[in-house]
Amino acid sequence: MLAKRIIPCLDVKDGTTVKGVNFVNFRDAGDPVELGAEYSRQGADELVYLDITASHEGRKTFTELVKKVAANINIPFTVGGGINELSDVERLLNAGADKISVNSAALRRPELIDEIARNFGSQVCVTAIDANMDGDEWICYLNGGRIPSGRKLFEWAVEAEKRGAGEILFTSMNHDGVKKGYANEALSVLAGMLHIPIIASGGAGKKEDFRDVFVEGKADAALAASVFHFGEIKISELKQYLRNEKVNVR
């Protein structure tokens, strides 16, 4: 069985790392390059950087940030936010990113996934899905969780895989920043439908939540932000805890 991965996520706004609750109420969490380097030292397996307000100017700033991250960090990292076409992918890969994450643009134009996979390989393409439990259905949202797309989580994830996505990054908006555990039931359903790795996001509050997302949610990787940014959980201690719980981590 492949080792499970621990992935800190850094949401970047105006050059600073921020963290919100349920996609709103952001607070400052520090310098994204320094934080990333610290996580690398602590034993993180990968990093995800998301430009959460990817306006045109922000994208240029973000490219410079990606170059700095690549120069200072020796683990793989994924970048996302405002990636709408192949030239965006090329620009960020050239700046040093290992993978790119597409979300709203892929929902609006699913062929983007095919194009990225064909031109750069599936391993480069992470399809991120922000979904909210509306009634008894998981609905995918656009624009950083602001606009319901009408697409359902499970059917969209299956389509993304068929089009060539290398991984699915599923964030439960209901669980985001609340620290009450991941959406393990939905994750487990996804794991039964897909053949590509699933990164779980939204809900980490304590070490047990990571164990549960791997055991119950059957996720391949667990992404978290605030518990790492504000020093509530140290990655090295988390990995030791998971090993003691018989979870195979790197």
Side-chain angles (χ1 to χ4, degrees):
M1 195 169 86
L2 286 176
K4 307 293 190 182
R5 289 170 286 152
I6 302 296
I7 307 177
C9 179
L10 298 93
D11 290 340
V12 179
K13 184 173 185 279
D14 305 325
T16 296
T17 312
V18 295
K19 183 63 194 121
V21 176
N22 299 127
F23 284 47
V24 291
N25 302 326
F26 293 103
R27 60 176 172 149
D28 190 335
D31 179 270
V33 181
E34 286 172 17
L35 265 177
E38 176 57 29
Y39 292 144
S40 179
R41 284 192 290 274
Q42 281 188 30
D45 298 301
E46 293 178 30
L47 299 170
V48 170
Y49 284 88
L50 298 176
D51 184 351
I52 60 167
T53 51
S55 63
H56 185 61
E57 304 77 18
R59 283 217 289 276
K60 285 191 193 126
T61 318
F62 197 58
T63 307
E64 291 309 308
L65 175 68
V66 170
K67 286 179 182 168
K68 284 186 193 152
V69 171
N72 286 278
I73 287 163
N74 57 7
I75 56 174
F77 69 100
T78 300
V79 296
I83 295 168
N84 298 303
E85 54 196 18
L86 287 180
S87 61
D88 296 325
V89 178
E90 190 163 18
R91 175 169 46 80
L92 292 164
L93 292 177
N94 286 340
D98 297 278
K99 300 185 239 185
I100 58 89
S101 163
V102 288
N103 189 335
S104 302
L107 270 168
R108 290 196 177 95
R109 193 173 71 82
E111 297 77 21
L112 180 61
I113 298 172
D114 305 71
E115 292 165 9
I116 295 168
R118 196 164 54 240
N119 284 273
F120 302 104
S122 285
Q123 78 286 350
V124 160
C125 184
V126 178
T127 299
I129 304 175
D130 299 330
N132 206 27
M133 186 64 135
D134 292 347
D136 56 358
E137 289 276 17
W138 284 95
I139 303 297
C140 304
Y141 274 65
L142 297 150
N143 290 32
R146 293 178 184 88
I147 305 167
S149 71
R151 292 296 307 262
K152 293 174 183 169
L153 165 66
F154 301 118
E155 63 176 47
W156 171 232
V158 168
E159 180 180 337
E161 177 181 36
K162 282 187 181 142
R163 288 183 177 277
E167 293 181 278
I168 297 292
L169 165 52
F170 162 49
T171 301
S172 163
M173 293 168 58
N174 308 72
H175 294 72
D176 177 68
V178 182
K179 300 186 180 178
K180 294 271 174 38
Y182 292 88
N184 293 327
E185 211 170 295
L187 284 159
S188 176
V189 173
L190 276 175
M193 302 171 102
L194 303 177
H195 308 89
I196 54 175
I198 298 163
I199 304 166
S201 166
K206 55 189 186 296
K207 291 173 188 169
E208 289 80 2
D209 295 334
F210 289 88
R211 176 198 63 202
D212 293 346
V213 80
F214 292 135
V215 175
E216 295 168 22
K218 301 182 175 63
D220 299 278
L223 182 139
S226 54
V227 291
F228 297 143
H229 298 342
F230 303 115
E232 294 159 40
I233 295 176
K234 288 271 187 287
I235 293 169
S236 52
E237 292 170 12
L238 171 61
K239 285 193 164 185
Q240 192 50 58
Y241 163 81
L242 289 169
R243 286 186 197 106
N244 293 344
E245 293 289 318
K246 306 288 187 285
V247 175
N248 179 22
V249 290
R250 291 187 182 179

